[in-house]
Amino acid sequence: ETGVTQSPTHLIKTRGQQVTLRCSSQSGHNTVSWYQQALGQGPQFIFQYYREEENGRGNFPPRFSGLQFPNYSSELNVNALELDDSALYLCASSLELAGVEQFFGPGTRLTVL
Amino acid sequence: SQQGEEDPQALSIQEGENATMNCSYKTSINNLQWYRQNSGRGLVHLILIRSNEREKHSGRLRVTLDTSKKSSSLLITASRAADTASYFCATVGQGAQKLVFGQGTRLTINP
C-alpha cells in the first residue's frame, strides 16, 4: 500500500452533472498526476500538478480541470459529464519532476448514467 | 493514445513456471517502468530501467531493455498465485514527466 489516498472510492453520476475527485499525496511528495483508465485499457495521462501549478496536460478537453493545494493534495473536476467519462480515475504522487517512480492511490470508480 | 503494445494480452501459466511479458514503444525514452495492478485497483511500481541500462533485477523480477528495438521484457520467475494481476509497462519520454502506458498483459497463475 502506498501513502496515497483517494476519495470517494465509488461514485455514480448522471450525464451533464459535475464531479470532484480528491487525492492526498504521499508525505513529502510535491507532484501529483491524474490518469483515466477505461475498462480493459491502460491508464491515460490527464494532467500533472507541481507545487500548485499545472505542469503538463494530456489529450483531455477543458471540462477536465484540477487544483493542487499548499499541502500538495489535489482535486480533479469534471464538468458536463458524458457517458464515456465512466472510468477508474487514478491519482499518483512523486517527488519532484524527474520522471521517477510514481506512487498510485487506489482510484475512484466513476460511473456516468 | 497508448505509447505502444504489450504482448501477450493475456497469459495463463501454472504456479512455479516463469512468465514473460513483452512491451514495445514508439519514441525515444528517458526510462521505462513496469507496474502491477490487481483487480482494477491502484497500480504498484515494480521496477524502473533507464535508457542507458540493459538489464535490471529485483527479487524474482528481471527486466531487459533494448532501445535499438524499442522493446522491453519482464520476466517473473517461479510464479506464485499472488502474482495474478495485470502488468503494464510505462515509458517516460526525453524531457517529459508523464507516464505513457501500454494496454497491459493480464497474467493468471493457476495453482
Side-chain angles (χ1 to χ4, degrees), chain B residues 86-102:
Chain B
S86 291
Y87 291 81
F88 294 90
C89 70
T91 56
V92 178
Q94 299 290 351
Q97 309 304 332
K98 64 180 182 181
L99 294 171
V100 181
F101 286 86

Side-chain angles (χ1 to χ4, degrees), chain A residues 2 9-10 35 37 40-45 48 55 58 88 90 97-102 104-107 109, chain B residues 1-2 30-31 33 35 37 39-45 48 50 88 92 96-104:
Chain A
T2 70
T9 305
H10 295 89
Y35 295 83
Q37 186 178 22
Q41 303 293 315
Q44 290 205 37
F45 176 75
Q48 181 181 81
N55 179 64
L88 181 69
L90 295 161
L97 290 173
V100 295
E101 170 187 358
Q102 295 194 15
F104 282 82
R109 174 74 61 187
Chain B
S1 63
Q2 307 293 330
N30 175 284
N31 67 69
Q33 303 178 32
Y35 287 81
Q37 184 177 39
S39 302
R41 300 296 287 168
L43 284 79
V44 175
H45 181 266
L48 181 154
R50 302 192 186 283
F88 294 90
V92 178
Q97 309 304 332
K98 64 180 182 181
L99 294 171
V100 181
F101 286 86
Q103 298 211 357

Side-chain angles (χ1 to χ4, degrees), chain B residues 57-94:
Chain B
H57 297 253
S58 176
R60 294 184 295 114
L61 306 180
R62 173 180 168 248
V63 168
T64 61
L65 179 64
D66 186 336
T67 53
S68 67
K69 295 181 180 177
K70 292 186 169 57
S71 67
S72 174
S73 67
L74 170 67
L75 168 68
I76 303 174
T77 60
S79 63
R80 305 167 181 170
D83 295 329
T84 293
S86 291
Y87 291 81
F88 294 90
C89 70
T91 56
V92 178
Q94 299 290 351

Side-chain angles (χ1 to χ4, degrees), chain A residues 70-82:
Chain A
N71 66 355
Y72 303 133
S73 65
S74 178
E75 286 183 357
L76 164 65
N77 300 290
V78 187
N79 294 322
L81 283 167
E82 300 176 0

Side-chain angles (χ1 to χ4, degrees), chain A residues 44-63:
Chain A
Q44 290 205 37
F45 176 75
I46 302 175
F47 44 57
Q48 181 181 81
Y49 279 83
Y50 171 66
R51 295 187 178 182
E52 302 178 59
E53 298 286 333
E54 186 178 294
N55 179 64
R57 186 178 184 92
N59 189 26
F60 282 82
R63 59 189 185 83

